[in-house]
């Protein structure tokens, strides 16, 4: 058995909440590196931790993805799959994980150069899919996702050592300012907020429906919001938001009649492969935190 110890750059899930300055780059590629993102937009991503794109998927394409979304969330076999999360009250499908393996349509989207090319440019290397999912917020009561940093969970429970992952949220329906859209605190990605409390075994079974472990305190969130502000993202179907793995983000409930559905793809650098969890008793299942590090080509 190896006695090698790892350096934990971002301690979390201890006895108290601890803020740690980020030591990793935000944009990993050198200035002037070729790719679909303009240098000015990369500088904005470096500063704010996000990049909004008005049209990533064209109007002539979006219908294909909407039809596939509807097929997946209504298929009995998909609903019964362990990769699906259902609303506790309505029993409607809330999320479907590993969607790029379940669906050929979304698999092609992962390999689309408009998508993976931007991930490579931000992360400065080949990338693999750490996680993919569709999130569905039907009208009249779909619950939101509380404030959190994805990296806090991926570090604690999946074993990602460094902040070298990026997410893209692609709107499959209109994202209004009223139907539970994505909110991000600009600049929050530069501080890692280590949360208090231990990680229960199989925490993912609860956290996918209601986050508990890894949740920041009200006091810390208030300080973050006062310092950074809050940006709400809206856009038509086909628009997208790229955001850093450590950006503090969340979304509210959808009590409007208008559904909000998005596909999320998380790319991680092949040079930042998941190891053993830093603050959890066991790894999460591979459909949530991938252990297949094959580069997306």
């Amino acid at each position: 058995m190896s006695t090698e110890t790892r350096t934990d750059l971002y301690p979390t899930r201890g006895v108290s909440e601890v803020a740690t300055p980020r030591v990793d780059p935000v944009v990993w590629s050198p200035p002037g590196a070729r790719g679909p993102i303009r240098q000015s937009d990369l500088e904005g991503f470096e500063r704010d931790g996000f990049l909004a794109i008005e049209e990533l998927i064209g109007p002539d394409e979006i219908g294909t993805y909407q039809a596939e979304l509807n097929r997946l969330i209504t298929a009995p076999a998909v609903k019964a799959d362990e990769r699906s999360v259902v609303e506790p009250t309505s029993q409607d499908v809330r999320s479907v994980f590993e969607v790029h393996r379940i669906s050929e349509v979304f698999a092609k989207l992962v390999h689309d150069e408009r998508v993976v090319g931007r991930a490579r440019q931000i992360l400065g290397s080949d990338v693999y899919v750490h996680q993919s999912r569709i999130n569905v917020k039907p009208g009249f009561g779909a619950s939101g996702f509380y404030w959190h940093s994805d990296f806090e969970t991926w570090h604690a429970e999946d074993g990602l050592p460094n902040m070298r992952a990026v997410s893209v949220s692609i709107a499959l329906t209109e994202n209004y300012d009223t139907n539970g859209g994505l909110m991000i605190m600009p600049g929050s990605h530069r501080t890692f907020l280590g949360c208090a409390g231990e990680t229960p075994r199989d925490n993912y079974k609860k956290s996918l429906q209601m986050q508990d472990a890894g949740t920041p305190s009200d006091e810390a969130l208030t300080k973050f919001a006062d310092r950074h502000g809050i940006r709400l993202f809206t856009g038509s179907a086909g628009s997208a938001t790229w955001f850093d793995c450590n950006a503090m983000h969340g979304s509210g409930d959808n009590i409007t009649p208008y559904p909000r559905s998005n596909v999320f793809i998380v790319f991680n650098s092949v040079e930042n492969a998941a190891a053993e969890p830093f603050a959890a008793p066991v790894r999460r299942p591979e459909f949530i935190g991938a252990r297949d590090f094959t580069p997306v080509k």
Side-chain angles (χ1 to χ4, degrees):
M1 179 181 294
S2 173
T3 58
E4 182 182 352
T5 58
R6 296 183 296 170
T7 300
D8 186 353
L9 298 175
Y10 303 105
T12 189
R13 313 278 174 103
V15 295
S16 61
E17 199 170 51
V18 179
T20 303
R22 181 186 187 123
V23 297
D24 290 314
V26 178
V27 175
W28 290 73
S29 60
R34 296 181 62 183
I37 306 176
R38 294 177 301 185
Q39 185 62 36
S40 60
D41 288 336
L42 278 177
E43 292 168 359
F45 185 89
E46 175 95 32
R47 179 187 65 245
D48 298 326
F50 58 78
L51 170 63
I53 298 175
E54 187 173 337
E55 184 182 293
L56 183 65
I57 297 174
D60 57 331
E61 305 169 90
I62 195 65
T64 300
Y65 297 104
Q66 292 172 335
E68 182 68 353
L69 168 79
N70 292 330
R71 183 188 73 81
L72 290 170
I73 64 175
T74 57
V78 174
K79 184 175 182 179
D81 195 294
E82 66 172 344
R83 292 172 285 190
S84 294
V85 181
V86 298
E87 287 279 356
T89 51
S90 68
Q91 293 298 299
D92 292 331
V93 172
R94 170 189 174 106
S95 300
V96 180
F97 281 80
E98 213 171 44
V99 70
H100 71 295
R101 296 196 183 277
I102 294 175
S103 162
E104 291 185 8
V105 172
F106 287 112
K108 290 179 181 177
L109 182 62
V110 164
H111 290 267
D112 191 311
E113 192 61 26
R114 293 171 296 181
V115 177
V116 69
R118 284 178 165 88
R120 292 192 196 104
Q121 191 176 2
I122 291 169
L123 301 180
S125 69
D126 280 335
V127 297
Y128 71 93
V129 176
H130 177 70
Q131 185 186 102
S132 71
R133 66 190 187 275
I134 49 173
N135 282 347
V136 183
K137 280 190 180 180
F140 299 119
S143 55
F145 295 85
Y146 198 68
W147 291 105
H148 64 285
S149 154
D150 286 331
F151 180 75
E152 193 279 337
T153 298
W154 300 339
H155 183 69
E157 300 185 38
D158 297 338
L160 294 196
N162 296 95
M163 294 180 183
R164 200 171 179 180
V166 66
S167 298
V168 60
S169 169
I170 305 172
L172 301 181
T173 58
E174 184 87 18
N175 280 214
Y176 300 103
D177 58 2
T178 52
N179 65 345
L182 173 69
M183 295 182 289
I184 296 178
M185 297 184 186
S188 60
H189 62 303
R190 294 195 171 277
T191 303
F192 177 77
L193 188 61
C195 298
E198 294 184 357
T199 309
R201 180 175 288 270
D202 291 338
N203 178 56
Y204 76 94
K205 293 180 179 179
K206 180 180 179 182
S207 67
L208 296 182
Q209 292 183 330
M210 183 63 69
Q211 184 80 0
D212 188 8
T215 301
S217 68
D218 290 351
E219 293 77 12
L221 288 171
T222 300
K223 290 179 181 178
F224 266 51
D226 286 346
R227 183 185 312 142
H228 302 293
I230 297 173
R231 168 79 182 271
L232 171 66
F233 293 87
T234 60
S236 59
S239 62
T241 304
W242 290 87
F243 57 102
D244 180 81
C245 60
N246 190 47
M248 190 66 70
H249 66 287
S251 64
D253 297 349
N254 181 14
I255 61 172
T256 75
Y258 310 112
R260 174 187 175 264
S261 299
N262 292 48
V263 56
F264 285 81
I265 306 166
V266 180
F267 293 99
N268 188 37
S269 169
V270 295
E271 299 172 14
N272 189 45
E276 291 306 309
F278 282 85
V282 293
R283 299 175 178 179
R284 297 195 298 174
E286 291 196 25
F287 67 83
I288 301 175
R291 299 282 162 170
D292 180 352
F293 311 133
T294 304
V296 177
K297 296 296 186 182

